[in-house]
Amino acid sequence: MTNKKFGTVIVFILGALNLLAADDSFVGSRSTQFTIDGHPFLFNGFNSYWLMNMAAGSEQDGTKVVDVLSEAAANGLTVCRTWAFADGGDRALQLSPGVYDEHVFQALDYVISEAKNHGIRLILSLVNNFKDFGGRAQYVKWAQQAGAAVNSKDDFYTNELVKQYYRNHIKRVLTRINSITQMTYKDDPTIMAWELINEPRCASDPSGRTVHAWVQEMANYTKSIDEKHLLEVGMEGFYGNSNQYNPPGFNQIGTDYIRTNLIKEIDFATIHAYPDLWLSGKSEEFQKAFMQQWTWNHLRAAKKILQKPLVFTEFGKSRKDPGFTETNRDTFLETIYDTIYNLARSSNGSLAGGLIWQLFAEGMDSYSDGYDIVLTQAPSIVNILSNHSYAMSELANAVN
Ligand SMILES: *[C@@H]1O[C@H](CO)[C@@H](O)[C@H](O)[C@H]1NC(C)=O
Ligand SMILES: *[C@@H]1O[C@H](CO)[C@@H](O)[C@H](O)[C@H]1NC(C)=O
Ligand SMILES: *[C@@H]1O[C@H](CO)[C@@H](O)[C@H](O)[C@H]1NC(C)=O
């Protein structure tokens, strides 16, 4: 069989798998596995944080949502992580505390409805740690403008007014009635999970206790509104301030992977890995070895201590790295996908899938962060992704 024919057959099979997955069942979890209708759920997926932002723009911007979802679906990707926030600024969803732009909310409605049409489930993140699209800094600024005694963005985690603003956002999003499907977000099985915050950090409390207390409170609040959906924190995986497994220089992040993921209301653990940033200057081999060890360590804790599934929610390789070549990006991705596959198999689906950072549609160069990949322009990555999608779906049958 030529490669081309093999590719066509694979893409055909993957398309059929996606249609099969596009049902009305919620993703659940049982011990250390994700389930759909009682069967183990394993997947290959991606990040495209920008979907709502593009859908809120011009007609031409809006087409990028369907472009990326259909390219992803054709390659067997069934989970997408994206932002359900834009706090203040251009194309804001939340214009000011509790005030929402209906046009932008309709853009999010559209993203969810199109994800469903493409057989893709969503992980929706509710706020950013960083200042992009508002984030913690914007919430603290709003509280300051309202007269609260806040002065650092770490007050996000403790100030009562800021916490009230954030709880309002959770409630507003979860109880939104989709203007296209008429389904309330909290009842929509297209949504796989909510994420409390993208990459929480808190430099003023490296022990992780501040973030931990906030997660416990907000997890309770989220579950009080929505018991149907899974919930995760959004953590990168740093192990508090005294752990040999953190990369060098990453003991002051302010999160504690094991302690915080033990919270009962948190349904699964997450990790991110950017050895190109965290270990910059080290060799490719060293970075790959770190990434494998990082994944293995977190999976071992997820299975033995947390007794919850693990998702590798972000990884990628930047074109901005010194010495970057497409070949070393491809080998890095192949290594990651081999690691995910092998650990998913040896853990019986506890490591359930990975989400590459990140997929773009064509014509988005101005949004580039160096990690973006346009599948129509990256045939080697299409091969790697579709092969991995196929391998993960076969594995799901095997652990079934
Ligand atoms: C969260 O809910 C649990 C019950 O599941 C309760 O024990 C705990 O005190 C609550 N924590 C907060 C911070 O509300
Ligand atoms: C396809 O995926 C399997 C399982 O991850 C891996 O062993 C194999 O090397 C991959 N092949 C290609 C061509 O990427
Ligand atoms: C693997 O998962 C399947 C499906 O949940 C289960 O029936 C089986 O007992 C598991 N195997 C092991 C070794 O845990």
Side-chain angles (χ1 to χ4, degrees):
M1 237 181 340
T2 66
N3 261 336
K4 189 154 179 263
K5 268 192 194 145
F6 178 69
T8 311
V9 172
I10 291 282
V11 165
F12 177 77
I13 295 171
L14 293 172
L17 286 171
N18 265 36
L19 287 178
L20 286 175
D23 60 25
D24 291 335
S25 302
F26 281 85
V27 178
S29 68
R30 179 180 56 211
S31 177
T32 62
Q33 288 174 333
F34 290 108
T35 57
I36 295 181
D37 294 329
H39 301 293
F41 177 52
L42 285 88
F43 53 87
N44 187 17
F46 65 108
N47 285 276
S48 284
Y49 73 82
W50 48 267
L51 298 175
M52 176 181 76
N53 180 278
M54 279 288 161
S58 65
E59 203 169 309
Q60 201 191 355
D61 283 353
T63 61
K64 300 191 186 333
V65 173
V66 166
D67 287 352
V68 83
L69 292 173
S70 55
E71 285 155 22
N75 289 290
L77 305 175
T78 55
V79 174
C80 169
R81 176 170 170 266
T82 194
W83 295 171
F85 60 79
D87 309 305
D90 188 35
R91 297 184 193 173
L93 172 63
Q94 188 172 196
L95 298 160
S96 59
V99 180
Y100 286 75
D101 184 329
E102 176 59 22
H103 171 71
V104 180
F105 239 141
Q106 286 176 11
L108 187 55
D109 295 344
Y110 176 74
V111 168
I112 296 170
S113 138
E114 283 304 321
K116 183 187 179 70
N117 291 342
H118 288 85
I120 289 175
R121 285 188 166 80
L122 298 173
I123 296 178
L124 294 177
S125 190
L126 294 164
V127 73
N128 204 355
N129 176 75
F130 304 104
K131 67 180 185 333
D132 313 85
F133 302 97
R136 283 201 283 140
Q138 178 64 70
Y139 273 86
V140 169
K141 194 167 156 200
W142 280 333
Q144 204 163 35
Q145 286 163 354
V150 286
N151 44 48
S152 137
K153 66 182 193 313
D154 286 353
D155 292 333
F156 174 84
Y157 298 113
T158 52
N159 178 267
E160 283 308 321
L161 183 62
V162 177
K163 289 196 286 181
Q164 188 54 49
Y165 288 163
Y166 178 69
R167 280 194 297 269
N168 288 344
H169 181 65
I170 294 178
K171 185 167 192 180
R172 193 67 173 254
V173 173
L174 273 57
T175 58
R176 164 81 179 176
I177 298 172
N178 190 310
S179 59
I180 300 162
T181 64
Q182 308 308 322
M183 200 179 276
T184 308
Y185 285 13
K186 71 188 178 76
D187 298 323
D188 191 341
T190 305
I191 298 164
M192 170 177 168
W194 302 111
E195 174 176 288
L196 289 176
I197 176 169
N198 172 49
E199 300 191 342
R201 293 184 172 197
C202 184
S204 60
D205 181 3
S207 75
R209 286 190 189 89
T210 299
V211 168
H212 181 85
W214 179 86
V215 169
Q216 176 68 76
E217 182 179 344
M218 297 309 166
N220 280 21
Y221 184 71
T222 307
K223 290 288 182 180
S224 76
I225 299 172
D226 178 358
E227 287 199 317
K228 291 182 183 154
H229 284 110
L230 300 173
L231 180 64
E232 50 100 352
V233 183
M235 286 183 8
E236 298 155 277
F238 299 112
Y239 293 97
N241 56 356
S242 56
N243 191 290
Q244 56 173 327
Y245 296 121
N246 286 330
F250 283 77
N251 277 340
Q252 308 298 316
I253 298 295
T255 59
D256 184 338
Y257 169 76
I258 292 176
R259 183 164 185 252
T260 299
N261 279 305
L262 272 171
I263 291 174
K264 186 167 72 62
E265 288 74 18
I266 297 300
D267 298 298
F268 64 96
T270 61
I271 48 168
H272 297 182
Y274 290 101
D276 58 335
L277 298 176
W278 300 351
L279 300 165
S280 87
K282 300 284 190 189
S283 70
E284 287 293 315
E285 289 316 308
F286 188 91
Q287 294 183 10
K288 279 186 218 158
F290 167 83
M291 189 273 305
Q292 287 168 316
Q293 185 72 29
W294 182 248
T295 314
W296 188 80
N297 282 333
H298 286 84
L299 176 61
R300 187 182 49 175
K303 208 164 157 88
K304 293 212 153 63
I305 305 173
L306 307 174
Q307 299 181 341
K308 295 172 186 182
L310 172 68
V311 181
F312 204 150
T313 37
E314 281 192 28
F315 54 82
K317 194 167 187 57
S318 176
R319 281 189 301 278
K320 294 176 184 168
D321 294 341
F324 172 88
T325 65
E326 288 188 2
T327 308
N328 65 30
R329 179 172 65 187
D330 289 358
T331 10
F332 178 77
L333 291 175
E334 277 167 1
T335 307
I336 290 231
Y337 286 121
D338 278 348
T339 303
I340 292 174
Y341 177 80
N342 289 328
L343 292 178
R345 190 175 54 183
S346 64
S347 69
N348 203 27
S350 289
L351 177 60
L355 312 176
I356 191 171
W357 184 272
Q358 57 168 324
L359 296 189
F360 271 21
E362 283 182 21
M364 291 181 57
D365 294 353
S366 66
Y367 281 65
S368 176
D369 66 352
Y371 290 90
D372 42 289
I373 292 163
V374 178
L375 288 180
T376 49
Q377 297 164 356
S380 61
I381 295 181
V382 164
N383 282 338
I384 295 168
L385 282 178
S386 57
N387 178 50
H388 182 68
S389 300
Y390 185 69
M392 291 299 274
S393 63
E394 286 290 286
L395 194 54
N397 293 332
V399 302
N400 218 328

